[in-house]
Amino acid sequence: MTEENRMTHRGWAIVTGASGGMGAEFTKALAKRGYPVLAVARGVEPLARLANELKKDGASIETLAADLAGAEGLSTVVERAQALGDVDLLVNNAGLSTSGDFLEQSVDKEIQSIRVNVEALYTLTRKIVPGMVEKKRGGILNIASIVAFQAIPYWTTYAATKAFVLAFGEGLAYELRNSGVRVVTVCPGFTKTGLYADSGVPGMAGRLLPFATPEEVVRVALAAYDAGRVVRVVGLTNRLLAISGALTPRFILRGLMARMFAPTTAGRASSRPPKQRPEIS
């Protein structure tokens, strides 16, 4: 890492869900760009391994073990962010997913997913953005999903949380358009991370649609941030799905998505990518 890079990015980058998958890749990529990084996740050991790896290359990285599904964990992250002072970039990457028949889901797990995917993202953004606006510099990078563009039966709650992320990011990007603060919402498709390994992708969708790598998603996300994009869908297949979904009447789209995502009758199973470390807060 050169001194020039360090001087270019003096403020901190905060990455949630940093223990594995896209979060770990965001942490690595931002450290390489010269950001000092605060890596946030639940797992102490994965964070320590990541920090040790990056410090060998001279990166400036701090770790914070916190559960964003709880009020105490969220407050801990807010307090640390405020203590850092100069935050240039917030990557709201942490996420939780459940899948399958709505009435068969654990209420506690679904509420946890809402707290992480919606409440934590909103709260961190609300607490950190004012400082960015004051200095007229900074950015928010939100990770939504291709499922944000339409209702997804059998992935009902998860898709609804990601629809919030997309609408919230677009609205905020417009409000802050002249402030010097960028807000970019990235919509990947299925990705080989612990999030999908834990919950699975229900129905035919998990077997037929491609899975991207975390490295690919992070590369596209940071390029979109550099270009000042507002929304970026990752992958040609996913862009075509988003466009076709916008042109299809919603009652037809609901039926199509139900067919694609309905759990299989044999064991009501879900398709899962290769198991990796959970990408959760």
Side-chain angles (χ1 to χ4, degrees), residues 16-274:
T16 65
S19 60
M22 289 189 292
E25 293 303 322
F26 271 119
T27 301
K28 294 174 185 177
L30 292 172
K32 187 175 181 180
R33 287 182 172 216
Y35 287 94
V37 182
L38 175 64
V40 180
R42 288 195 308 186
V44 176
E45 292 183 2
L47 283 176
R49 287 194 297 267
L50 177 63
N52 290 336
E53 175 187 345
L54 293 178
K55 286 178 179 178
K56 291 178 181 178
D57 295 327
S60 176
I61 178 170
E62 291 188 11
T63 62
L64 177 60
D67 184 359
L68 292 179
E72 183 178 353
L74 183 55
S75 295
T76 298
V77 179
V78 170
E79 291 171 4
R80 177 66 72 85
Q82 292 175 337
L84 293 175
D86 189 9
V87 177
D88 266 2
L89 178 62
L90 169 64
V91 181
N92 283 311
N93 167 74
L96 289 175
S97 171
T98 56
S99 67
D101 297 272
F102 175 75
L103 294 179
E104 295 179 4
Q105 301 305 306
S106 162
V107 174
D108 288 342
K109 288 183 178 180
E110 294 245 286
I111 292 297
Q112 286 178 0
S113 73
I114 294 169
R115 287 173 176 163
V116 172
N117 300 357
V118 176
E119 183 181 3
L121 179 144
Y122 168 85
T123 301
L124 292 175
T125 302
R126 183 64 182 84
K127 295 294 186 180
I128 291 173
V129 160
M132 294 179 174
V133 172
E134 183 177 355
K135 66 185 181 184
K136 299 181 180 179
R137 185 184 84 247
I140 308 293
L141 213 166
N142 293 327
I143 304 302
S145 170
I146 186 63
V147 303
F149 291 91
Q150 64 280 304
I152 306 288
Y154 308 108
W155 224 359
T156 299
T157 303
Y158 178 69
T161 65
K162 292 304 182 178
F164 170 85
V165 174
L166 177 59
F168 176 73
E170 284 194 88
L172 187 59
Y174 187 85
E175 290 190 38
L176 299 180
R177 66 193 184 281
N178 297 320
S179 69
V181 179
R182 304 177 192 178
V183 181
V184 182
T185 302
V186 178
C187 300
F190 306 140
T191 310
K192 296 175 183 177
T193 68
L195 184 146
Y196 294 115
D198 283 351
S199 70
V201 178
M204 291 188 295
R207 298 193 301 273
L208 299 179
L209 296 178
F211 281 79
T213 64
E215 294 85 353
E216 177 186 357
V217 174
V218 170
R219 183 175 64 251
V220 172
L222 291 178
Y225 181 79
D226 292 340
R229 298 283 295 270
V230 174
V231 177
R232 182 67 162 92
V233 179
V234 181
L236 177 60
T237 299
N238 296 316
R239 290 198 292 275
L240 293 175
L241 287 173
I243 293 170
S244 62
L247 299 175
T248 304
R250 293 189 70 85
F251 76 94
I252 295 177
L253 193 60
R254 284 194 299 273
L256 290 174
M257 293 300 102
R259 287 177 178 270
M260 286 291 293
F261 286 87
T264 57
T265 55
R268 309 293 282 178
S270 298
S271 297
R272 290 173 167 83

